Amino acid sequence: MLTHIRKVLSLVPGSGRRKTRTYRRRDIPREHHNVSRAVISEPAKKVLARLNNAGFEAYLVGGGVRDILLEDRPKDFDIATSATPEEVHDLFRNSRLIGRRFRIVHVLFGREVIEVTTFRGNGADADAEPDHLRKSNEHGLLLRDNVYGSLEEDALRRDFTVNALYYCIRDFTVIDFADGIEDLHNRQLRLIGDPETRYREDPVRMLRAIRFAAKLDFDIEPLTEAPIRTLAPLLSLIPPARLFEEVLKLLSAGHGEATYDLLIEYDLLAPLFPATAKALAAGEPDELIRQALRNTDDRVAQGKSVTPYFLFAALLWPALQIEWRRLQDRGEPVQPALHQAIGQVIGRQVKATAIPKRVSVPMKEVWELQMRLPRRQGKRALASLDHPRFRAAYDFLLIRESAGELEPGLGKWWTDFQRVDDRARERMLSELSGSEPRRRRRRRSPSKGASR
Ligand code: ATP
Ligand code: MG
C-alpha cells in the first residue's frame, strides 16, 4: 500500500514549494456582521468569559462563527485560546484533556461540549520543533501537532478560510485572517496555504472538504479541488478509528446523499469502503445505499436520531451481496454462506474504518434478519417480531423493496402484521400456509447434517 501511495504521489505535479496567497488581517466591527451574542450558547459564553477574566485571549472560531454568519444554527461551539490545555483544564472543573496527536480540552455542560483548543504555531520552523510537540512522517502526514503559537498563526493552520474566522466577545468584532468572509460570500471552500501540502499533513481534510461542500452547498475552489483524486489513497494512512468517526459525520449530518455523490465524484468512496467501491465497479447497484441515505436525511430534517449500524448495514450491503453470492456459487448453502460473507465483509472493512462492537453486532443482526423475515410460518413471525433488531430489519426490508431489490409484498405483510390484533395475526399466518414454501433443510456436509 505504501509503495502504491508513493507512486501516486510521484505523479503529483509541483511537489516542491508552490506560491500561496498572502493574507492580511481584517477586523470587522459589530455593525458590519450579524454575529450576535444571542445566538451563542450560554456555555460557550461562559467559557469565553472565564478565559478572558483569567487574562487569556479567547475567541469563538470554526463552525460556530461560520454558521452564524451564514444564518444557520451552529452544531456546536469551538473556542481558540492562548491558554495551554493544562491552564484551561485548571480553570474548569467540568473539563477533560483529550487527544494526543492534537491535544484539546472538552468543557462539559450537561450534553453540550465546548471544544477548547490552544492557538497552534505556524510551523515555519517545524523542523526545529522537538518530536514530542510536532512530528510528520515521510508522506508529510502530521503525526502530532502540539506547537503553540499566536492568534494569527492559529488562523493560518486551520483548514478552510471560512473556518478561520474568529469572534471576539469583548469588542464583538469578527477577525478574518485569510479572506474567509469573501469566500463565505462567494460560497467557496478554499484551503489555507498549498492544498497538496495541507492534504498531505492531514488527508482527512479531503473528507472535510466534501462534508462542508455538501452541508453548506459550497463549491470547492479549483486549486483546493485539484489534488483530491490523486491524493485520495493517502486516507489509508489515517487510523481506522478516526475514519469511522469521520464517516459518521459525513453520512449522518443530514446531507448524506449529496455527500455520497461527492465521495464518488472525488474517488473518496474507495478508501472508506473498499469492498463497496469494488462491488459498484462490478455492476452491483447502489440504489439501496441511496435510499437509506435519503431516509437518514429525512430523519435528520425531522430532528430524529440516526442509527450508525443502519448506515453501515446499507453502505456495505453491495459488498455483502457479492461475497454472499460468491460463496453460494462455490457450493456453500445459503445460510452458512451469509454467515461467512458477513464475517468476511466486516473483517475487511475494519481495516479501513474501525467498526466498534456497538455498531457491528446490530449491523450483523439486521443483515441476518433479512433471511428470517421471509420465513414467517409457525412461531417464526412472532419470534422475529420479538427480536430487538426487528424494527431496524423491517425498515431495511422496506428500503430493499423500494430500491427494487425485492418484489413488493413482504414489507406490506410485516406492516400489517405489526398493526393487527392476535386473531388477525393468526389468520395472516394460516393464510400463509401453502403459499410459503416450507423451509428446506440444507446440509452443510453429509456427516454434520445427518446428526442434526
Ligand atoms: P462542524 O462542527 O459544523 O462540523 P467545524 O468547522 O466546527 O464544523 P470542527 O471539526 O468542529 O469543524 O472543527 C472546528 C475547527 O477546527 C474548524 O472549523 C477548523 O478551523 C479547525 N479544524 C478542525 N479539523 C481540522 C483539520 N483537520 N485541519 C485543520 N483545521 C481543522
Ligand atoms: Mg465545530
Side-chain angles (χ1 to χ4, degrees):
M1 191 69 208
L2 286 187
T3 45
H4 170 60
I5 290 162
R6 253 180 230 128
K7 248 187 237 155
V8 168
L9 285 182
S10 65
L11 298 174
V12 180
S15 316
R17 282 215 166 268
R18 196 183 286 178
K19 260 217 158 95
T20 51
R21 288 157 73 110
T22 44
Y23 291 118
R24 208 165 45 85
R25 169 175 175 152
R26 282 206 320 136
D27 288 27
I28 299 121
R30 176 66 186 92
E31 59 272 25
H32 291 143
H33 66 72
N34 66 335
V35 181
S36 102
R37 269 169 304 162
V39 289
I40 301 170
S41 74
E42 288 307 318
K45 282 188 278 203
K46 249 187 220 168
V47 175
L48 288 168
R50 194 178 297 177
L51 284 164
N52 282 162
N53 291 340
F56 298 110
E57 281 182 82
Y59 303 88
L60 202 62
V61 67
V65 183
R66 180 196 68 218
D67 292 350
I68 296 174
L69 286 165
L70 290 168
E71 288 175 3
D72 281 343
R73 251 171 72 96
K75 183 173 66 74
D76 51 38
F77 291 96
D78 307 295
I79 287 174
T81 180
S82 58
T84 64
E86 290 73 21
E87 287 167 333
V88 178
H89 185 51
D90 286 347
L91 274 179
F92 298 94
R93 265 197 320 144
N94 49 329
S95 70
R96 274 198 314 238
L97 282 160
I98 63 163
R100 267 181 11 150
R101 188 183 63 84
F102 196 85
R103 302 190 65 213
I104 59 176
V105 183
H106 277 175
V107 188
L108 313 166
F109 296 85
R111 292 180 62 187
E112 184 167 346
V113 179
I114 306 293
E115 204 164 282
V116 185
T117 55
T118 303
F119 298 155
R120 290 313 193 259
N122 68 14
D125 50 24
D127 295 342
E129 302 297 348
D131 267 7
H132 68 281
L133 294 179
R134 194 199 305 268
K135 190 170 179 308
S136 331
N137 76 359
E138 74 272 25
H139 303 289
L141 182 84
L142 265 182
L143 300 172
R144 218 162 290 140
D145 189 8
N146 292 312
V147 173
Y148 304 132
S150 67
L151 171 62
E152 179 168 5
E153 288 170 337
D154 186 72
L156 301 179
R157 290 206 57 72
R158 289 181 180 268
D159 47 6
F160 303 99
T161 62
V162 294
N163 284 350
L165 295 161
Y166 297 75
Y167 172 75
C168 172
I169 202 152
R170 281 188 291 199
D171 60 10
F172 317 130
T173 52
V174 167
I175 311 170
D176 181 2
F177 288 96
D179 298 341
I181 295 278
E182 192 187 319
D183 286 334
L184 199 91
H185 285 144
N186 296 329
R187 303 187 79 81
Q188 290 212 84
L189 286 166
R190 185 196 305 275
L191 268 179
I192 298 171
D194 172 49
E196 188 193 317
T197 310
R198 300 307 310 279
Y199 289 136
R200 286 212 214 178
E201 281 177 357
D202 183 2
V204 169
R205 289 173 185 149
M206 294 186 268
L207 299 178
R208 290 174 61 83
I210 270 52
R211 176 154 70 89
F212 293 127
K215 168 182 155 153
L216 306 171
D217 196 18
F218 273 29
D219 290 328
I220 306 174
E221 172 274 327
L223 289 177
T224 299
E225 180 183 39
I228 298 184
R229 284 190 193 85
T230 318
L231 298 182
L234 287 180
L235 279 166
S236 65
L237 301 173
I238 301 298
R242 185 171 175 217
L243 282 191
F244 172 76
E245 294 300 328
E246 284 301 324
V247 166
L248 283 192
K249 286 190 203 165
L250 281 163
L251 301 181
S252 60
H255 309 274
E257 199 187 6
T259 306
Y260 175 75
D261 282 331
L262 289 173
L263 287 176
I264 292 184
E265 185 183 337
Y266 288 98
D267 294 345
L268 288 165
L269 187 70
L272 299 178
F273 292 98
T276 302
K278 238 191 217 159
L280 301 189
E284 202 61 28
D286 67 353
E287 195 42 41
L288 175 122
I289 296 180
R290 292 178 176 282
Q291 199 74 41
L293 292 171
R294 253 176 254 148
N295 278 23
T296 305
D297 292 346
D298 288 345
R299 285 184 64 87
V300 177
Q302 293 166 33
K304 294 185 187 162
S305 62
V306 173
T307 329
Y309 67 76
F310 195 84
L311 279 174
F312 270 77
L315 261 299
L316 291 170
W317 185 250
L320 182 70
Q321 295 309 296
I322 287 219
E323 190 58 26
W324 190 7
R325 273 205 309 270
R326 191 183 67 83
L327 290 166
Q328 290 180 79
D329 289 348
R330 253 183 24 191
E332 209 56 68
V334 60
Q335 187 104 38
L338 176 63
H339 285 293
Q340 275 187 50
I342 290 176
Q344 288 179 10
V345 167
I346 295 179
R348 283 183 210 139
Q349 179 61 26
V350 295
K351 291 181 190 147
T353 70
I355 311 181
K357 284 270 183 290
R358 70 182 156 83
V359 173
S360 63
V361 171
M363 176 175 85
K364 269 187 212 168
E365 290 172 336
V366 166
W367 282 343
E368 283 164 355
L369 276 163
Q370 298 311 303
M371 273 214 64
R372 279 176 54 179
L373 292 182
R375 300 182 172 147
R376 295 156 287 173
Q377 282 190 335
K379 293 197 170 34
R380 290 194 191 119
L382 287 170
S384 292
L385 202 57
D386 271 347
H387 193 288
R389 228 52 71 190
F390 170 78
R391 183 71 213 188
Y394 159 74
D395 286 342
F396 201 83
L397 179 76
L398 293 183
I399 288 180
R400 288 173 64 207
E401 279 193 359
S402 60
E405 192 179 293
L406 291 176
E407 288 291 317
L410 187 57
K412 166 136 184 15
W413 191 92
W414 277 108
T415 308
D416 295 341
F417 193 69
Q418 291 172 78
R419 284 202 193 124
V420 300
D421 62 18
D422 286 351
R423 285 191 45 198
R425 279 183 180 170
E426 268 171 38
R427 221 172 24 246
M428 285 178 75
L429 289 174
S430 67
E431 278 166 12
L432 277 181
S433 314
S435 68
E436 184 175 277
R438 287 196 70 78
R439 190 178 164 198
R440 268 189 301 155
R441 279 189 180 277
R442 300 196 65 159
R443 289 174 185 167
R444 199 181 191 126
S445 66
S447 57
K448 272 188 193 164
S451 61
R452 284 217 193 117

